[in-house]
């Protein structure tokens, strides 16, 4: 069994030293986990007023904080968001995959949300599937989950788990209903027969409230664990069950695809 822990944290905007210790402490607190997921931009906060403010807390993948994550993780794999300064001088909303050996992969958010477009440059490479001690893990960030092409791409790449650091702004919804972002993740897990772990953030930042929507979802689309107003969600799962994409003896969600019919249509956009 693989123990997944999502740590729902409240980073401080623009306070790298505080967030550095907050994230490392959260990893240490998740001792015994095999996979630990942290929120989007956990090292920096989210509600930047300008690119210059973001640049002041941007780090590269060789920053010592990732060595601290690796040391705190022990045998676990950590996936967490950070404000990245690229070698090209541009800023990226990124996620690092870290284990005992250090940074295994960095993914730059492909689909930027709202004011992010005035701060960050969108990533230009597909999301990775990282072969880890826990199993193959794919990485997306927040709004990326709303594009079915992205989750399908990771499923085709062999991901048994999609880890998604997120910052979901609170939106109105009818009483008793799940957040729409969670519903999308549930559907993505079911149609791709893969586990999805979404780690949201907590607190209020510059007037923005967050959904507190942290959830771990099974390949049949069921929510296995939620954080709600708490600090964590945890679930023990068998990631190997995501190897099979069969719905029954006759149907398989990947084998039944008909890309010969609809792939060409994906390149078109209907006239408005």
């Amino acid at each position: 069994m693989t123990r997944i822990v999502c740590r729902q944290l409240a980073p401080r905007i623009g306070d790298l030293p505080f967030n550095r210790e907050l994230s490392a402490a959260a990893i240490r607190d998740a001792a015994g986990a095999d996979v630990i997921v942290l929120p989007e931009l956990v090292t920096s906060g989210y509600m930047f007023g300008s690119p210059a403010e973001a640049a002041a807390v941007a780090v590269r993948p060789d920053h010592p904080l990732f060595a601290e994550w690796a040391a705190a993780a022990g045998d676990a794999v950590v996936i967490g968001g950070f404000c990245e300064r690229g070698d090209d001088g541009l800023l990226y909303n990124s996620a690092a995959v870290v284990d005992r050996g250090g940074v295994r992969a960095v993914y730059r958010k492909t689909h930027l949300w709202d004011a992010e477009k005035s701060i960050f440059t969108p990533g230009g490479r597909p999301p990775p599937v990282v072969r880890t001690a826990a199993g193959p893990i794919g990485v997306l960030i927040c709004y990326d989950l709303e594009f079915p092409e992205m989750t399908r791409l990771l499923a085709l790449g062999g991901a048994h788990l999609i880890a998604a650091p997120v910052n979901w702004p609170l939106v109105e919804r009818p009483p008793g209903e799940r957040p729409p972002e969670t519903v999308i993740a549930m559907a993505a897990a079911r149609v791709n027969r893969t586990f999805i772990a979404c780690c949201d953030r907590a607190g209020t930042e510059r007037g923005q409230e967050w959904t507190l929507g942290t959830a771990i979802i099974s390949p049949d689309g069921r929510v296995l664990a939620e954080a709600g107003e708490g600090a964590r969600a945890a679930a023990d799962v068998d990631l190997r069950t995501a190897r099979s994409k069969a719905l029954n003896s006759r149907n398989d969600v990947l084998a039944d695809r008909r890309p010969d019919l609809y792939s060409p249509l994906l390149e078109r956009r209907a006239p408005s």
Side-chain angles (χ1 to χ4, degrees):
M1 300 294 285
T2 298
R3 185 165 182 79
I4 302 170
V5 173
C6 295
R7 291 284 291 150
Q8 188 166 267
L9 305 173
R12 292 179 184 171
I13 185 75
D15 192 340
L16 180 60
F18 174 85
N19 298 331
R20 181 174 174 175
E21 175 54 32
L22 176 73
S23 56
I27 295 168
R28 289 192 295 268
D29 184 61
D34 300 293
V35 179
I36 303 167
V37 189
L38 304 178
E40 179 181 9
L41 293 175
V42 71
T43 65
S44 63
Y46 183 88
M47 299 294 291
F48 294 114
S50 68
E53 185 179 32
V57 288
V59 299
R60 291 184 168 87
D62 60 357
H63 192 279
L65 76 87
F66 296 111
E68 294 169 7
W69 284 14
D75 293 329
V77 181
V78 179
I79 303 95
F82 72 105
C83 180
E84 181 190 1
R85 182 190 300 275
D87 290 338
D88 53 11
L90 300 175
L91 299 177
Y92 298 92
N93 182 340
S94 299
V97 180
V98 178
D99 64 13
R100 184 184 290 277
V103 176
R104 294 284 311 281
V106 170
Y107 167 65
R108 295 170 172 173
K109 188 175 183 178
T110 305
H111 304 92
L112 300 179
W113 174 258
D114 199 19
E116 290 177 36
K117 293 186 175 184
S118 67
I119 305 292
F120 299 108
T121 296
R125 294 182 178 178
V129 176
V130 185
R131 267 61 190 180
T132 75
I137 300 176
V139 184
L140 296 177
I141 302 174
C142 204
Y143 186 40
D144 287 330
L145 284 167
E146 305 207 17
F147 294 82
E149 298 91 342
M150 298 293 277
T151 49
R152 178 51 55 85
L153 183 65
L154 290 175
L156 288 169
H160 293 170
L161 168 67
I162 297 173
V166 308
N167 281 183
W168 286 336
L170 182 64
V171 296
E172 291 187 12
R173 63 181 187 271
E177 288 198 4
R178 295 190 186 278
E181 298 92 343
T182 305
V183 174
I184 290 169
M186 293 166 65
R190 181 172 177 83
V191 301
N192 290 296
R193 303 295 297 173
T194 189
F195 291 92
I196 296 182
C198 307
C199 189
D200 202 0
R201 63 159 293 168
T204 300
E205 190 176 273
R206 293 182 171 170
Q208 177 63 63
E209 295 181 75
W210 308 98
T211 298
L212 307 176
T214 295
I216 301 170
I217 303 164
S218 72
D220 60 5
R222 292 186 302 111
V223 174
L224 301 175
E226 297 175 280
E229 295 185 2
R232 67 162 62 196
D236 295 309
V237 305
D238 184 353
L239 289 182
R240 294 172 299 178
T241 61
R243 292 176 181 171
S244 172
K245 304 302 179 182
L247 297 172
N248 53 49
S249 62
R250 294 184 175 87
N251 294 107
D252 181 293
V253 296
L254 296 187
D256 287 346
R257 295 178 309 121
R258 291 292 307 275
D260 57 310
L261 295 182
Y262 45 73
S263 287
L265 299 179
L266 294 176
E267 304 303 319
R268 306 177 192 172
R269 180 172 178 173
S272 56

